């Protein structure tokens, strides 16, 4: 993440870093000083380098920084020779508005068909044609196994879900490539921009299922007004589709949310608290007979636990306490709303409308 960006003599002095103390200092996008990660990093660092002043003289320079993460605060002092030429500090507000510059290290992503699909799509120049072709292929594939009306309804649900991701990306000023439909995989919202905060990851991940929850609620209201089984089926199966995306397994949306919350916790106590919450979720799942949901919650928690030790090497700005609370509440309310809709339709006694709950209980 970008910790500091100073304008001096018309050039940029920029400092990139991670929570573990890895830092790389750039002068006009040229690396001039590096600090390796250290498990005992206390937030204080010093960079020594040489620069020329306005008179053309080469001077020994020093950049001193102190970084705190909760709450986020960056203070700095920049010396040319023995002269202090810049000092100050900033907090989370400024860092959240920053856009990553140039190539930065990416977090290790799990192998997935979706990831390969995204890579392949980025290599294709005829984006609009590809969108149409893949949308047609998705319609044909789903129509082959189901019916054309069901296939159209499924694609509509996928588009609404991915549109939620797109809206979140645009809110953060990210350029988007649009929505791609992939047969038997689902949908994909693509962007050329990189995220630089855990909050952005949470919002982008949750807005898809949140839009899906909105569609299910609107369909439920339409069913109450019209009594049409089409709206009932749309509401129930769309709820199941979005609930599946909230499972805490990467690369699903729920996996990104759980990882962002867990990786923003700086102590073992935080991890234990996250583990206790996951255990509570597993207990509730099995208490209400949602065996599949409980099993996948266990798998996702184990995955996050093994990756948690490397959280400080992330270049994403972590969530603060307020962000962790809001992200957790948003996630739980969305999951609860989707399960409530599935449970409601299961209680109507219709075999088809009860199928989503049977899937969760399998």
């Amino acid at each position: 993440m970008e910790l500091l960006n100073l304008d001096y003599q018309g050039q940029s002095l920029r400092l990139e870093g991670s929570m573990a103390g890895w830092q790389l200092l750039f002068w006009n996008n040229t690396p001039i000083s590096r600090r390796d990660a250290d498990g005992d990093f206390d937030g204080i660092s010093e960079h020594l380098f040489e620069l020329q002043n306005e008179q053309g003289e080469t001077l020994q320079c020093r950049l001193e920084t102190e970084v705190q993460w909760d709450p986020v605060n960056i203070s700095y002092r920049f010396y040319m020779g023995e002269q202090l030429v810049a000092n100050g500090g900033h907090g989370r507000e400024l860092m959240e508005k920053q856009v990553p510059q140039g190539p930065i290290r990416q977090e290790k992503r799990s192998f997935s068909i979706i990831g390969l699909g995204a890579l392949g799509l980025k290599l294709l120049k005829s984006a609009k044609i590809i969108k149409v072709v893949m949308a047609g292929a998705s319609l044909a594939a789903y129509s082959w196994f189901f019916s054309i009306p069901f296939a159209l309804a499924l694609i509509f649900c996928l588009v609404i879900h991915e549109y939620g991701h797109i809206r979140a990306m645009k809110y953060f000023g990210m350029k988007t490539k649009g929505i791609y439909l992939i047969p038997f995989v689902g949908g994909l919202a693509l962007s050329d921009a990189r995220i630089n905060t855990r909050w952005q990851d949470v919002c982008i991940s949750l807005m898809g299922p949140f839009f899906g929850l909105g569609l299910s609620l609107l369909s439920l209201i339409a069913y109450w007004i019209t009594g049409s089984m089409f709206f009932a089926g749309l509401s129930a199966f769309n709820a199941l589709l979005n609930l599946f995306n909230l499972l805490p397994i990467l690369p699903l949306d729920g996996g990104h949310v759980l990882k962002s919350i867990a990786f923003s916790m700086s102590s073992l106590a935080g991890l234990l608290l996250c583990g206790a919450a996951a255990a509570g979720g597993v207990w509730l799942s099995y208490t209400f007979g949602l065996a599949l949901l409980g099993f996948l919650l266990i798998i996702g928690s184990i995955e996050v636990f093994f990756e948690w030790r490397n959280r400080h090497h992330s270049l994403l700005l972590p969530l603060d306490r307020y962000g962790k609370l809001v992200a957790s509440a948003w996630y739980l309310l969305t999951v609860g709303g989707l399960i409530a809709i599935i449970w409601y339709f299961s209680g109507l006694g219709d075999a088809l409308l009860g199928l989503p709950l049977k899937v969760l209980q399998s």
Side-chain angles (χ1 to χ4, degrees):
M1 72 193 79
E2 183 178 291
L3 303 178
L4 182 65
N5 197 332
L6 299 177
D7 184 15
Y8 184 72
Q9 296 182 357
Q11 305 293 342
S12 172
L13 183 66
R14 177 167 53 91
L15 181 65
E16 299 273 353
S18 72
M19 294 176 66
W22 173 87
Q23 293 182 356
L24 189 58
L25 184 64
F26 296 86
W27 173 253
N28 194 26
N29 290 326
T30 301
I32 56 176
S33 179
R34 177 188 177 94
R35 187 188 192 281
D36 293 329
D38 183 356
D40 298 323
F41 179 58
D42 60 1
I44 299 175
S45 61
E46 181 180 76
H47 292 272
L48 300 175
F49 50 97
E50 293 182 348
L51 290 179
Q52 287 187 339
N53 61 14
E54 295 178 344
Q55 290 74 36
E57 300 173 330
T58 300
L59 297 177
Q60 292 290 331
C61 300
R62 183 171 79 257
L63 176 67
E64 299 175 352
T65 61
E66 183 173 356
V67 183
Q68 296 178 347
W69 293 113
D70 196 3
V72 174
N73 183 61
I74 313 273
S75 59
Y76 64 89
R77 293 175 297 277
F78 175 38
Y79 296 87
M80 290 197 72
E82 297 301 323
Q83 181 183 3
L84 178 64
V85 295
N87 70 302
H90 56 261
R92 173 177 293 272
E93 294 78 11
L94 179 62
M95 295 184 67
E96 286 182 338
K97 297 177 182 179
Q98 295 169 349
V99 178
Q101 301 182 30
I104 62 175
R105 297 189 307 178
Q106 295 291 313
E107 290 189 62
K108 185 178 179 181
R109 293 282 184 175
S110 301
F111 173 82
S112 67
I113 296 176
I114 294 178
L116 290 177
L119 178 61
L121 289 173
K122 288 183 179 180
L123 299 177
L124 298 172
K125 296 182 179 180
S126 304
K128 293 183 179 180
I129 297 177
I130 294 300
K131 288 181 186 178
V132 173
V133 170
M134 297 194 74
S138 295
L139 177 60
Y142 298 138
S143 299
W144 178 268
F145 282 91
F146 307 105
S147 63
I148 292 181
F150 183 87
L152 289 172
L154 179 58
I155 289 177
F156 178 68
C157 293
L158 292 173
V159 169
I160 294 297
H161 175 98
E162 298 303 329
Y163 181 70
H165 294 315
I166 291 291
R167 290 303 305 169
M169 292 176 185
K170 290 184 176 180
Y171 174 81
F172 290 114
M174 301 168 64
K175 293 183 179 180
T176 61
K177 284 189 171 183
I179 299 171
Y180 292 83
L181 297 174
I182 306 174
F184 303 116
V185 173
L188 191 66
L190 289 181
S191 171
D192 285 331
R194 299 183 179 93
I195 60 173
N196 68 333
T197 72
R198 291 286 182 191
W199 178 243
Q200 290 175 350
D201 196 20
V202 167
C203 289
I204 292 172
S205 298
L206 280 178
M207 280 301 285
F210 193 68
F211 267 53
L213 174 60
L215 175 60
S216 282
L217 289 174
L218 290 176
S219 299
L220 175 61
I221 294 173
Y223 165 69
W224 286 339
I225 295 174
T226 65
S228 171
M229 293 301 292
F230 171 80
F231 289 116
L234 179 64
S235 179
F237 283 93
N238 178 67
L240 178 63
L241 172 68
N242 284 276
L243 184 62
F244 174 79
N245 273 278
L246 284 174
L247 293 174
I249 300 175
L250 291 171
L252 299 179
D253 298 330
H256 283 282
V257 175
L258 181 62
K259 189 173 182 178
S260 288
I261 295 173
F263 281 31
S264 296
M265 297 179 177
S266 58
S267 66
L268 181 59
L271 179 63
L272 294 177
L273 179 62
C274 186
V282 171
W283 179 79
L284 287 174
S285 298
Y286 282 99
T287 298
F288 289 99
L290 307 178
L292 178 62
L293 191 63
F295 173 75
L296 292 176
L297 184 57
I298 293 174
I299 298 300
S301 299
I302 293 174
E303 179 184 17
V304 169
F305 177 80
F306 281 107
E307 290 191 21
W308 184 78
R309 68 185 65 185
N310 295 319
R311 71 197 183 285
H312 287 326
H313 295 277
S314 170
L315 299 185
L316 300 181
L317 181 66
L319 297 169
D320 58 14
R321 295 177 185 177
Y322 175 76
K324 283 179 277 192
L325 289 174
V326 171
S328 300
W330 188 1
Y331 176 80
L332 293 175
L333 287 173
T334 305
V335 169
L338 294 170
I339 292 178
I341 290 173
I342 292 173
W343 208 286
Y344 168 79
F345 283 109
S346 176
L348 296 181
D350 185 273
L352 183 60
L353 295 180
L355 185 59
L357 183 61
K358 289 183 178 180
V359 171
L360 295 180
Q361 293 175 335
S362 61

